[in-house]
Each structure stands twice: as structure tokens, then as C-alpha cells.
Amino acid sequence: MAEKDLKETLLDALPPVFTRRTAAKLTGGLLAAGTLANLDCRGRGPSGTVRLGRKIGYRREEFVDWLVGRLDRR
């Protein structure tokens, strides 16, 4: 799948704001919620996070840009 197609598919599938657990499910398990938490802690996770109490959420556009930027294009 081309990068542009993948980006469009993810933008259509993801809600405007979603949790780490939702990100793990919607990426087919490519990213675990714990991995996202660790990356966030190190400052290497997606930008544009939001917090509500103890929950962390991601904004769709920033998350998709971050994810597509991390893809290994072999």
C-alpha cells in the first residue's frame, strides 16, 4: 500500500481523538499501548497528545503523520 493510501485510510478509520488502547487495536497490533506509553515518556511519541485525568489521547492527524514517518520502507 502506498504511503498516501495508508495515510488516507488511517485518517478515515480513526476518530478525531483516541486512546493508546484504541491506537493499538486500530493499527492491528503494530503498536502496543505500552510501547506508546514508553515512547511518550521518552519524548519520542506522537505530538499533540491530550490528557483527561490519567488517560492520554492522541489527535488523529498528528498521530497519523507520526506513524507514517516511522514506517520502515523496504
Side-chain angles (χ1 to χ4, degrees):
M1 178 179 283
E3 185 176 309
K4 183 180 176 184
D5 294 335
L6 175 61
K7 189 171 181 174
E8 288 177 14
T9 300
L10 288 170
L11 287 171
D12 287 341
L14 293 168
V17 177
F18 52 92
T19 64
R20 291 175 177 144
R21 193 172 293 176
T22 301
K25 288 178 187 175
L26 293 175
T27 60
L30 288 174
L31 287 169
T35 300
L36 286 168
N38 289 335
L39 289 169
D40 286 340
C41 184
R42 294 183 184 124
R44 297 177 59 204
S47 63
T49 58
V50 295
R51 179 183 293 269
L52 183 61
R54 293 180 55 185
K55 292 281 189 179
I56 297 294
Y58 299 108
R59 292 183 186 112
R60 175 179 46 214
E61 289 78 11
E62 288 95 338
F63 179 84
V64 171
D65 288 341
W66 173 83
L67 182 62
V68 169
R70 289 182 51 91
L71 293 175
D72 184 5
R73 297 164 188 92
R74 293 183 186 198

